[in-house]
Amino acid sequence: MNQTQASTALAKRTLLLAVAAMGFAQTVLFAILAPLGREIGLVEVQIGAIISSSSLTIFLISPLWGRASDAWGRRKVLLIGLFGYSAGTMLFAGVFQAALLGYLIPIVALVLLIATRVANATVMAAVSPSANAYMADITTVKDRIKGMGALGAATNIGSILGPAIGGLLAGISLITPLYFSVLLTVAAGVLAVYALPVLPKPIHIRKTQKLKYTDPRIFPLVVAGVMLFMGFAIVQQTIAFRFQDMLGLDGTQTAKIVGISMMFSAAAALLVQLLVIPRLSVRPFVLLRISMPMMMVAFAIMAISETQNMYMLAMCILGSGMGLAGPGFMAGASVAVSSEEQGAVAGVAGACPPLGFTVGPLLGTYLYSIDGALPYWFAFGCYFILFFVTLKFKDRK
């Protein structure tokens, strides 16, 4: 291996570590936010608003960072994302710490938490587009899919470890997982400083017509994608309340069990993507149709069960369903347009998860405040409708 190849290999590994650290950082909050919010006197809808505001920010800001990476360089934007997240999380955790010590009343804490989380999300959103663009720059067309797939797998691994390790660290204090995520992203940023070479700025290419969300070829898929991730977000934001209220747990116990359940869910999704999907030779929309009944079963179990084991089972089923639905959705969007529009449709499809996570937490926590089972029956109904929406795609090539 010559020096150039060694440098490229090191850059790839650094990118994988960076997105894994960010995957950890983004998901660790789900294990602790609900009990932590309740500890400082916030109600369910207020806690949901914290996640919704940051998700909306990522949805709006990510395309801007993608264009900034063209103008400023991939490395610079990636470093802004990693170090910016670290600084923003310290502020976010500091607000929680002040509220826990009684220095902030709940309404003031809520305003400051939303403000610091939005600021945090603004810079956090720089990591994904810059990492993907950097990987595209250092891979050949032949290896491009493998490189992008590796980034996705690294994000999934971080997402598995986030809730699991976060739940364990919550045994020290509910705020400890946030500080640990800062250490990881700072370490990834320092590594990127030394391991990522500065790449030449991309050559300007002819602009293609912007692909609109309302394009009739993909609009039903956009609606389906937002509904898909909205239902998933409803579960992620309310499951901690469900565990705590149904099982009579304190905040630390809740964080631990939620962390384990999310780890099982993410692991199930990863196993499906690694072991099942490569062996299936079905069209993308078939994957969506298979996944819908699975996730409806998971929602029903969450709505009617009262035991920890059944909730764990439901999370595993939900993860398996998302493991099928996610690739089915992305591939379905890809085959709906021409080869010249693949980059554009990837951007549109990539906007659906944060948009779903903007609506889901607020809606889910509001429904939960009415009745603990209502968010899951609502998600069940959405996916029931979504199942029939996917039937419209059966004749697409």
Side-chain angles (χ1 to χ4, degrees):
M1 182 181 293
N2 59 39
Q3 186 174 356
T4 301
Q5 290 174 325
S7 176
T8 299
L10 178 59
K12 289 179 180 178
R13 288 194 290 270
T14 302
L15 289 175
L16 296 180
L17 289 173
V19 298
M22 191 52 62
F24 179 100
Q26 287 181 293
T27 57
V28 72
L29 191 61
F30 287 111
I32 62 172
L33 184 60
L36 193 54
R38 281 181 166 178
E39 287 283 330
I40 65 171
L42 301 182
V43 298
E44 288 85 356
V45 175
Q46 293 172 327
I47 296 170
I50 297 171
I51 292 295
S52 291
S53 60
S54 63
S55 298
L56 179 60
T57 301
I58 292 174
F59 168 71
L60 296 173
I61 297 297
S62 287
L64 302 181
W65 282 121
R67 291 193 289 272
S69 75
D70 289 336
W72 302 347
R74 320 300 192 196
R75 180 178 180 273
K76 181 182 292 186
V77 172
L78 180 67
L79 292 176
I80 290 173
L82 290 171
F83 288 119
Y85 167 83
S86 303
T89 299
M90 288 298 295
L91 291 174
F92 183 70
V95 174
F96 263 123
Q97 194 75 68
L100 288 170
L101 294 173
Y103 297 135
L104 299 173
I105 62 174
I107 188 62
V108 173
L110 175 64
V111 172
L112 292 176
L113 286 170
I114 290 177
T116 53
R117 187 63 181 172
V118 167
N120 196 9
T122 299
V123 286
M124 180 199 310
V127 173
S128 180
S130 58
N132 279 281
Y134 198 112
M135 181 65 79
D137 288 343
I138 62 175
T139 52
T140 63
V141 174
K142 180 180 178 181
D143 295 330
R144 188 73 42 79
I145 294 177
K146 183 184 295 185
M148 296 301 181
L151 286 177
T155 301
N156 283 336
I157 291 171
S159 299
I160 292 171
L161 296 176
I165 296 176
L168 294 175
L169 292 174
I172 301 173
S173 76
L174 287 174
I175 210 78
T176 300
L178 290 177
Y179 292 129
F180 184 77
S181 72
V182 170
L183 290 177
L184 284 183
T185 49
V186 167
V190 171
L191 178 61
V193 168
Y194 292 101
L196 289 182
V198 178
L199 300 176
K201 291 183 180 179
I203 299 174
H204 181 71
I205 59 175
R206 179 177 61 88
K207 286 187 177 181
T208 57
Q209 186 176 2
K210 184 178 180 181
L211 188 65
K212 297 181 179 179
Y213 292 94
T214 54
D215 188 302
R217 296 171 297 171
I218 62 169
F219 179 69
L221 263 173
V222 170
V223 174
V226 173
M227 287 180 64
L228 175 69
F229 290 101
M230 180 189 72
F232 188 63
I234 285 174
V235 172
Q236 282 206 316
Q237 190 52 50
T238 60
I239 192 64
F241 298 131
R242 192 69 167 163
F243 272 113
Q244 188 169 27
D245 294 339
M246 295 301 292
L247 304 179
L249 307 175
D250 62 26
T252 300
Q253 292 170 329
T254 300
K256 288 181 179 179
I257 292 179
V258 170
I260 293 172
S261 70
M262 288 186 174
M263 178 188 70
F264 285 163
S265 180
L270 185 61
L271 287 175
V272 167
Q273 291 174 349
L274 293 178
L275 301 180
V276 178
I277 289 181
R279 291 171 171 78
L280 294 177
S281 55
V282 298
R283 291 160 60 188
F285 309 115
V286 174
L287 290 178
L288 282 172
R289 288 198 292 271
I290 294 173
S291 68
M292 292 301 114
M294 293 174 61
M295 291 187 281
M296 287 164 61
V297 169
F299 293 138
I301 293 174
M302 292 176 189
I304 65 177
S305 296
E306 298 180 356
T307 66
Q308 178 179 324
N309 289 339
M310 292 303 293
Y311 290 137
M312 292 288 188
L313 174 63
M315 291 295 285
C316 288
I317 296 173
L318 181 65
S320 300
M322 284 299 296
L324 292 172
F329 165 69
M330 294 298 293
S334 177
V335 302
V337 301
S338 66
S339 58
E340 292 80 13
E341 298 171 295
Q342 291 303 306
V345 80
V348 171
C352 292
L355 190 55
F357 270 82
T358 298
V359 179
L362 270 179
L363 182 59
T365 49
Y366 171 72
L367 294 173
Y368 190 89
S369 67
I370 298 173
D371 184 271
L374 192 55
Y376 312 108
W377 287 126
F378 178 84
F380 182 98
C382 287
Y383 278 40
F384 183 80
I385 296 171
L386 186 55
F387 173 77
F388 288 98
V389 170
T390 62
L391 297 179
K392 294 184 179 182
F393 302 112
K394 62 182 178 181
D395 295 325
R396 296 278 184 93
K397 300 295 183 184

